Amino acid sequence: MADSRSPLVRFGRIGRRKFIKYGSLAVGAGVLSACTRGGGETTTSSATGTGSASSGDAIKVGVMYSTTGTIAIVEKSLQDATFLAIEQINQGTGPWQGKQGVAGKQIEMVVVNPDSNWDLYNQMSKRLIDEDQVSCVLGCYTSASRKSVLPVFEEKDAILYYPVYYEGNECSSNVFYTGAAPNQQITDSIPYCYENFGPKGFFIGSDYIYPKESNRIAKAELENQGGQVVGDEYAALGTTEFITIINKIKQAKPDFVLSNLVGDSIPAFYRQFKDAGITPDQIPIMAYPTTEEEIQAMGPEYAEGHYSSFNYFQTVDTPENKAFVEQFKAKFGDNRVTNGVMEAAYLQTFFMAQAMEQVLEAGEEITTATLREATRGQEFNAPQGKVKIDPDNYHTYLYSRIGRWQADGQAEIVFATPSAVKPIPWSQALYKGRLCVHPAPDDRSDPTQETGNDLPVEYLES
């Protein structure tokens, strides 16, 4: 596992794969490379991401998550889930039982640590595509990091699998979005708050694009319900001092707080919120970025009685989730917890592998074009339930759930959709009737369509 105390990435061998590692230096832009031989040789033929990356005994895949810096508190868990998935694919275990590798080829990871630095995500994505010539990249957490690398993937026509709930209002031919779109998280959580807590909401978040845009959508949803926004505050990323904002919350007397704080700010806010004498019975917190990982870090007594809206919780009752939790703990330690974003990182790795297998079994090479077309429409029995990549908009059918945090740090699921919800990338509270539809085959033209109509809730058939 990576040493979380240092921005240099350190790995041992996992299975038969060869690792190529880059660790971001604490000073910023430097990149250190090292190589441990362990798998078959890899050859590539294109620096643009459109050429073959699978002509040898292995398939190169970039893995780009921060294991140091302010976002590492959760982002390292995405890397761990990705490692587990790739190990299972290479060894033919878990959901990949009965196979070994992808059509006989091992996946070779090229692992980078951008150190929670948006500029380094951009630099490292260029390096992965141009120098390492990976077939695709699994990675990014914040929208700031995704926005930093998006121009690189679009310019070079390479593919990013992005596993995090986000603010939507984006639909790229070069990204497969496997975290929640607004209608799979915000659209259900705000009516739940209005109906169960009251009409007055106080909105807080970290000061960058995702919290601000998600809160903009959530505020529009609340106002559409007839509710009222009584506060809207943002703190610099990594802030751990919230007394001023908490005092404003006390003065505003909201019925609930909607939190889009991320990273190290989450434990600090919850602790200070409780220490200020505010209980969940008085003012409950509904959060999007708060997962089992942050609750374990802060101590469950600080989150007990508050809420999160996610597609997955560790307490989801499916055979696939029971196996996932057991396998994750067996690999990384019984004290570890699973969470919604790492589950998305896990399932997207199988989407990728299934698509690669489809390409290779058809006798084709893995290129951006072939991988893109093979990924659209992929289905997988994930820990959260059956999910699917929407073939039109490259987002994912996901369950919508709300959990109330308990004394053991786990969630009691108080709301869940009957099956996975069809993703709508554009917030319908802000852009009524706007759709994303990529042509097949994708010619990378503008996929945006304006219908002006109310879009019905659609579910994936079980």
Side-chain angles (χ1 to χ4, degrees):
M1 292 187 295
D3 183 346
S4 61
R5 298 167 299 176
S6 169
L8 296 177
V9 185
R10 300 181 177 90
F11 297 95
R13 284 184 57 191
I14 300 178
R16 295 174 53 240
R17 296 183 308 282
K18 175 178 69 177
F19 286 95
I20 300 173
K21 292 94 68 176
Y22 293 111
S24 61
L25 298 176
V27 296
V31 177
L32 174 71
S33 95
C35 182
T36 303
R37 300 285 175 182
E41 294 298 316
T42 299
T43 60
T44 59
S45 62
S46 171
T48 65
T50 57
S52 170
S54 60
S55 54
D57 295 329
I59 304 168
K60 278 188 178 182
V61 171
V63 178
M64 184 167 59
Y65 297 113
S66 289
T67 55
T68 53
T70 188
I71 307 300
I73 186 173
V74 66
E75 201 161 341
K76 184 183 181 302
S77 71
L78 280 76
Q79 178 178 276
D80 289 344
T82 303
F83 284 1
L84 174 61
I86 290 178
E87 178 178 88
Q88 291 176 336
I89 292 162
N90 281 343
Q91 296 183 358
T93 60
W96 214 250
Q97 189 75 38
K99 306 178 184 182
Q100 190 160 6
V102 177
K105 294 178 181 286
Q106 295 281 286
I107 294 177
E108 174 189 312
M109 297 192 294
V110 185
V111 181
V112 298
N113 170 23
D115 196 27
S116 302
N117 182 319
W118 316 147
D119 291 336
L120 281 178
Y121 281 91
N122 180 284
Q123 294 172 33
M124 289 181 172
S125 63
K126 291 176 182 176
R127 182 178 292 271
L128 287 169
I129 296 166
D130 290 341
E131 297 184 22
D132 297 298
Q133 298 183 337
V134 297
S135 59
C136 60
V137 175
L138 304 157
C140 295
Y141 176 74
T142 65
S143 286
S145 61
R146 189 192 72 257
K147 290 290 189 183
S148 175
V149 305
L150 185 59
V152 175
F153 283 87
E154 292 186 333
E155 176 189 350
K156 298 177 182 297
D157 193 19
I159 289 180
L160 170 70
Y161 292 88
Y162 177 65
V164 183
Y165 56 95
Y166 84 120
E167 69 282 358
N169 306 334
E170 180 179 295
C171 198
S172 173
S173 293
N174 296 92
V175 181
F176 285 96
Y177 306 80
T178 61
N183 73 305
Q184 298 165 320
Q185 188 174 45
I186 302 172
T187 300
D188 288 321
S189 61
I190 294 301
Y192 185 92
C193 291
Y194 180 87
E195 294 167 8
N196 291 276
F197 309 144
K200 295 188 295 182
F202 194 106
F203 294 75
I204 64 172
S206 297
D207 192 6
Y208 71 97
I209 183 172
Y210 163 73
K212 289 186 172 181
E213 283 299 294
S214 289
N215 281 355
R216 184 167 75 100
I217 295 167
K219 287 184 285 185
E221 294 278 5
L222 181 60
E223 289 168 352
N224 287 347
Q225 294 282 321
Q228 178 185 1
V229 177
V230 297
D232 188 24
E233 294 287 333
Y234 298 90
L237 194 66
T239 294
T240 56
E241 174 55 63
F242 289 97
I243 298 303
T244 300
I245 290 179
I246 289 170
N247 285 335
K248 290 181 180 181
I249 292 171
K250 285 182 172 180
Q251 293 169 5
K253 298 179 179 179
D255 295 310
F256 66 93
V257 169
L258 192 288
S259 173
N260 270 309
L261 295 170
V262 304
D264 294 337
S265 295
I266 295 173
F269 174 73
Y270 278 76
R271 287 170 178 160
Q272 291 165 39
F273 196 78
K274 181 179 174 67
D275 290 345
I278 308 173
T279 68
D281 291 338
Q282 297 168 331
I283 307 175
I285 300 169
M286 175 67 77
Y288 302 146
T290 302
T291 75
E292 291 88 343
E293 202 78 30
E294 290 87 1
I295 288 169
Q296 185 180 63
M298 74 176 75
E301 66 272 19
Y302 293 99
E304 183 180 3
H306 295 297
Y307 297 77
S308 287
S309 176
F310 257 107
N311 316 110
Y312 166 90
F313 294 96
Q314 184 174 304
T315 50
V316 166
D317 186 15
T318 65
E320 291 81 6
N321 187 45
K322 181 179 179 181
F324 171 58
V325 173
E326 289 177 351
Q327 292 156 5
F328 183 81
K329 287 177 176 288
K331 181 171 180 62
F332 294 105
D334 195 54
N335 64 322
R336 293 291 300 276
V337 292
T338 59
N339 64 67
V341 283
M342 65 177 288
E343 190 254 359
Y346 181 77
L347 68 88
Q348 76 173 12
T349 309
F350 287 95
F351 279 150
M352 175 201 72
Q354 289 174 176
M356 288 177 170
E357 183 178 59
Q358 182 176 316
V359 170
L360 294 175
E361 289 182 347
E364 300 178 310
E365 291 185 343
I366 296 174
T367 68
T368 292
T370 59
L371 186 57
R372 177 190 287 128
E373 295 307 312
T375 300
R376 58 199 295 169
Q378 285 291 338
E379 297 182 359
F380 180 64
N381 289 321
Q384 67 175 269
K386 184 179 179 181
V387 296
K388 176 182 178 180
I389 293 283
D390 188 297
D392 291 331
N393 61 42
Y394 299 174
H395 290 63
T396 306
Y397 282 78
L398 298 169
Y399 282 74
S400 179
R401 293 182 169 101
I402 294 172
R404 184 175 185 269
W405 297 109
Q406 306 297 295
D408 62 355
Q410 293 297 316
E412 174 194 5
I413 297 173
V414 296
F415 169 85
T417 54
S419 62
V421 180
K422 178 181 173 65
I424 303 175
W426 291 93
S427 164
Q428 297 303 290
L430 300 176
Y431 307 100
K432 180 180 176 180
R434 184 175 292 182
L435 292 172
C436 253
V437 180
H438 293 287
D442 193 339
D443 59 9
R444 306 180 71 204
S445 58
D446 184 2
T448 307
Q449 295 184 7
E450 304 286 357
T451 70
N453 300 324
D454 289 321
L455 302 181
V457 177
E458 298 182 39
Y459 296 100
L460 180 63
E461 293 183 8
S462 299

